[in-house]
Amino acid sequence: MAKPVYKNLFKPLKLNGLRLKNRITMAPLYLGYAASGGKISPLLLHYYKEMARSGAALIVVENASITPGGSGSSRTIRCDHNRYLNGLEKLARSIKEEKSLAALQINHAGRFAHVPDPVAPSAVPAFDRTPRALTKREITTIQKQYAKAALRVKKAGFDLVELHGGTGYLLSQFVSPRTNKRSDAYGGSIENRINFSLEVLKRVKDAVGNFPVGYRFLADEWLPDGIRVKESLVLAKGLAENGVTYISAMGGTYESFFLPEIIKKVKRPGYMVSLAAAVKKMVKVPVITAGRISTPAKAESILKENKADLIGLARMLWVDPEWPKKARKGEDRSILKCSPKCDACMQLVMQGKPAFCPKWDKEKRAIYRGLFK
Ligand SMILES: Cc1cc2nc3c(=O)[nH]c(=O)nc-3n(C[C@H](O)[C@H](O)[C@H](O)COP(=O)(O)O)c2cc1C
Ligand code: SF4
């Protein structure tokens, strides 16, 4: 095979006993493709097969719920019972057959859960609903559910598990001074607010043993009273010291994504790179950055400037699964780009509908639509 045009992007990386064949990873992208009830569907298998065939080294599958009460939607993958193992095994196998590593992200949506009685660290309203504050006992139960779900991910044959500490879901709700008003050992100072995440990591590691555990990390909520980088770095340090395999940095939550200044910010290429760079200065574990990294040249410069160790592509890979192959040949211009003016996939999934990209040709859209049940 000819030498890749972008040397840093195609340099392998050792990760906790695993070998990533290049620096391209798929960042988790929920598109409403699971069967209603959260089972693995033919469309989901088709989607991830295509992502794995792209040549990305690691595919991080979208968030899967650790308990029904923490599920983001009726089409969120479920990982809270052994009855889901069979489907999860199929998914892991199908990705690995294409020579990509497979990870599954596990989550509790907390105050954003799509359930009648959401729970959270404190009773802070989220849009038009107010969650119930968790008791100490319930906190322990949820931590155990993370551990059980992580063990299921291992049993299903995935190579890694990722804890979803981003997007303003439960793990980050504990870290945020906005959503955590507790006065016990889980609230107050930043040292207390990171306890929940560190305890979850510990329980997960105890359950899975020598199995890699990544962390999707909310570096900044992009809200004046939310988590800011200075505080979140305390958690980054704690995670690294407690054996996390990588940190995948991101910014924003459902409460900031739609603010006018954030809508403007997220149109820029590499809009979350500065967050990853700040984390990278603080920790020795590999750091992933995502966020409109639409060209291989941009990805290469991020790696060259040592702002991150791995590139995360979510919509960028979904729009054009040939991204990695075109990158290898330096064919940046032929990559099909996600339009900064479009927000269709996010809008559709928020309305509870499956997302199909308007950039695809008719035939591809028909295949995806045809598989949706
Ligand atoms: C429709 C949609 C669904 C997403 N689902 C997830 C998810 O399940 N877990 C997660 O950590 N991030 C999720 N993200 C965030 C992406 O992983 C990524 O950080 C973001 O889209 C920026 O990368 P991109 O510009 O390559 O898409 C989602 C983003 C979008 C637009
Ligand atoms: S072009 Fe629109 S629908 Fe397609 S990935 Fe980008 S934002 Fe999503």
Side-chain angles (χ1 to χ4, degrees):
M1 210 191 290
K3 276 197 178 156
V5 171
Y6 296 111
K7 289 193 201 87
N8 291 287
L9 194 52
F10 287 90
K11 205 188 276 172
L13 180 75
K14 287 228 169 83
L15 194 67
N16 205 345
L18 300 168
R19 182 184 181 271
L20 272 69
K21 60 188 171 190
N22 56 48
R23 302 301 177 103
I24 307 167
T25 72
M26 182 187 189
L29 187 66
Y30 165 83
L31 297 165
Y33 288 173
S36 181
K39 283 202 172 155
I40 303 302
S41 65
L43 176 55
L44 208 60
L45 291 171
H46 178 81
Y47 161 42
Y48 283 110
K49 184 62 125 184
E50 200 183 4
M51 296 300 101
R53 275 192 188 141
S54 73
L58 166 67
I59 304 297
V60 184
V61 171
E62 69 200 59
N63 75 93
S65 54
I66 59 152
T67 172
S71 181
S73 79
S74 64
R75 289 191 183 268
T76 297
I77 298 175
R78 296 270 296 271
C79 187
D80 54 83
H81 194 281
N82 287 341
R83 77 172 79 99
Y84 301 107
L85 261 179
N86 202 273
L88 294 171
E89 276 166 17
K90 268 193 210 154
L91 181 56
R93 203 179 316 127
S94 140
I95 293 170
K96 289 166 69 169
E97 275 167 4
E98 303 304 325
K99 308 274 179 278
S100 282
L101 297 171
L104 178 62
Q105 182 184 63
I106 57 171
N107 188 37
H108 188 305
R111 62 202 278 272
F112 293 140
H114 190 73
V115 292
D117 49 352
V119 290
S122 306
V124 176
F127 303 107
D128 52 350
R129 294 186 317 157
T130 303
R132 185 174 56 74
L134 288 162
T135 63
K136 169 72 184 74
R137 218 186 150 124
E138 287 171 322
I139 287 179
T140 308
T141 303
I142 290 176
Q143 291 179 333
K144 288 181 182 164
Q145 288 165 338
Y146 272 104
K148 283 187 183 158
L151 188 56
R152 253 171 232 126
V153 175
K154 183 180 178 182
K155 280 190 180 148
F158 285 89
D159 299 292
L160 304 94
V161 63
E162 181 176 284
L163 305 178
H164 196 354
T167 320
Y169 288 133
L170 188 67
L171 283 163
S172 58
Q173 287 164 26
F174 271 91
V175 186
S176 168
R178 262 185 104 236
T179 50
N180 182 345
K181 306 288 181 195
R182 299 180 75 90
S183 53
D184 60 6
Y186 295 101
S189 65
I190 180 66
E191 287 73 23
N192 279 6
R193 283 183 276 123
I194 65 173
N195 272 340
F196 180 74
S197 302
L198 295 181
E199 287 176 10
V200 167
L201 176 64
K202 181 165 188 329
R203 280 192 193 264
V204 163
K205 286 188 68 72
D206 286 348
V208 298
N210 185 23
F211 182 71
V213 184
Y215 197 96
R216 194 93 214 250
F217 179 78
L218 186 59
D220 197 315
E221 270 186 284
W222 294 335
L223 289 168
D225 54 348
I227 313 170
R228 307 314 302 240
V229 181
K230 206 171 152 212
E231 276 202 328
S232 71
L233 290 180
V234 180
L235 174 60
K237 201 161 169 267
L239 293 168
E241 283 167 2
N242 285 281
V244 89
T245 300
Y246 65 78
I247 294 179
S248 173
M250 70 177 296
T253 79
Y254 288 112
E255 285 165 313
S256 56
F257 289 149
F258 306 105
L259 299 174
E261 66 273 23
I262 305 304
I263 292 177
K264 214 165 135 196
K265 181 204 270 289
V266 305
K267 290 188 194 315
R268 287 187 222 126
Y271 63 88
M272 297 194 281
V273 173
S274 62
L275 300 177
V279 174
K280 192 161 161 50
K281 278 194 190 139
M282 185 58 75
V283 301
K284 292 217 167 65
V285 297
V287 175
I288 305 181
T289 188
R292 208 167 278 294
I293 302 173
S294 55
T295 64
K298 176 78 189 165
E300 178 75 6
S301 74
I302 294 167
L303 297 172
K304 210 170 160 190
E305 289 163 23
N306 211 20
K307 291 181 172 156
D309 303 281
L310 290 161
I311 300 298
L313 307 176
R315 293 164 301 179
M316 306 303 120
L317 191 67
W318 183 56
V319 185
D320 188 354
E322 295 289 302
W323 195 110
K325 293 191 183 98
K326 291 175 181 170
R328 184 169 250 287
K329 292 187 260 171
E331 293 171 359
D332 289 38
R333 291 168 72 129
S334 69
I335 289 175
L336 190 61
K337 306 252 176 9
C338 161
S339 164
K341 289 192 191 125
C342 179
D343 193 29
C345 48
M346 180 58 110
Q347 293 300 334
L348 286 164
V349 299
M350 285 191 55
Q351 292 162 29
K353 295 179 186 157
F356 308 107
C357 183
K359 286 270 181 166
W360 295 343
D361 58 35
K362 254 201 265 163
E363 289 72 26
K364 179 163 173 178
R365 270 208 305 277
I367 294 171
Y368 271 67
R369 277 187 203 283
L371 284 166
F372 181 73
K373 293 273 161 355

